[in-house]
Amino acid sequence: MQDPLRIHIEKVVPVSDEEFIIISSYFTRKKYKKYQFLIQEGESVSCNYFVLKGLLKLVYTDDTDKSHIVGFAMEDWWESDFKAFYTGSRATMSLECVEDTEVLCLTLEGYKKLCREIPKMEHFFLEKAYFGFISAQQRILSMMTSSTKERYDQLLKQYPALVQRVPKSLLAAYLGVSRETLSRFSL
């Protein structure tokens, strides 16, 4: 069976067996239990996480202690508090397991060394960043211009497997609506 990280990378750039041995040496495998935090607000962020198995939620808590779900990450997705990770600042968001989760961790130092050692990895990460930016812009536009029902339908169409795994209360928080409102759409 081929390595999930290699499959993921080769969707963007081809890598030889020798290159993949080097690439994989920069990652550390970690397992977390449901409800366990990978990142907590206020802490330093040491890793960018590639999800091998499980489901994560990225949460921002505002000044009134209201939690806002910024995003989810399941298998084959990357997640972190990227601002804190890349700038060395403290986390403004928390990353928590919705399910038992297994990830590959890449430190910032490892990321920089990996990109120097295998330059095509810089292209890989740039492509991943582009698609992340596009997704974030689409979500912002959707929040500004679409009805709650339209946002829910877009989520169902774009990520049907995610919608099946995420509890309704979390989906409602992600969409910015009450659980009751979401229930009317998902009957």
Side-chain angles (χ1 to χ4, degrees):
M1 185 171 124
Q2 200 175 15
D3 188 284
L5 179 62
R6 184 169 185 171
I7 294 168
H8 180 74
I9 292 168
E10 288 188 329
K11 289 176 186 173
V12 179
V13 294
V15 294
S16 68
D17 291 342
E18 295 77 22
E19 288 171 325
F20 187 69
I21 289 169
I22 294 166
I23 292 166
S24 60
S25 73
Y26 284 96
F27 289 85
T28 304
R29 185 180 296 252
K30 292 187 179 178
K31 292 183 179 184
Y32 296 89
K33 295 287 185 193
K34 184 176 182 177
Y35 304 119
Q36 194 172 357
F37 287 91
L38 287 72
I39 299 171
Q40 286 192 286
E41 183 182 343
E43 295 180 346
S44 61
V45 177
S46 60
C47 291
N48 186 358
Y49 300 95
F50 176 70
V51 181
L52 293 171
K53 179 180 171 233
L55 181 63
L56 302 168
K57 66 176 179 176
L58 187 64
V59 179
Y60 173 77
T61 304
D62 67 22
D63 293 339
T64 66
D65 272 349
K66 181 177 179 188
S67 293
H68 304 272
I69 297 179
V70 176
F72 295 100
M74 60 184 179
E75 293 84 5
D76 209 38
W77 292 13
W78 294 86
E79 194 59 271
S80 191
D81 179 328
F82 292 110
K83 178 183 176 194
F85 176 72
Y86 286 108
T87 66
S89 60
R90 297 286 176 186
T92 57
M93 296 179 273
S94 298
L95 186 59
E96 182 182 0
C97 297
V98 177
E99 301 172 351
D100 288 353
T101 301
E102 186 172 351
V103 295
L104 291 176
C105 309
L106 179 63
T107 65
L108 184 58
E109 180 183 351
Y111 162 80
K112 290 177 179 179
K113 285 181 179 178
L114 175 57
C115 289
R116 280 193 305 271
E117 191 168 353
I118 302 179
K120 67 173 80 174
M121 288 303 293
E122 193 165 29
H123 174 73
F124 166 77
F125 286 116
L126 186 59
E127 287 288 317
K128 299 311 302 179
Y130 288 157
F131 286 106
F133 294 146
I134 291 166
S135 179
Q137 286 180 342
Q138 292 305 115
R139 175 138 190 255
I140 291 166
L141 288 173
S142 178
M143 292 296 277
M144 291 174 16
T145 62
S146 301
S147 70
T148 304
K149 173 75 167 113
E150 289 168 334
R151 290 195 312 271
Y152 177 71
D153 289 343
Q154 289 167 357
L155 189 64
L156 273 175
K157 183 178 178 184
Q158 194 167 11
Y159 304 111
L162 178 68
V163 173
Q164 296 300 314
R165 293 168 65 181
V166 174
K168 296 284 189 237
S169 59
L170 296 182
L171 280 178
Y174 177 75
L175 293 169
V177 299
S178 69
R179 169 104 169 61
E180 294 75 23
T181 299
L182 182 64
S183 293
R184 287 197 302 267
F185 302 140
S186 57
L187 294 175

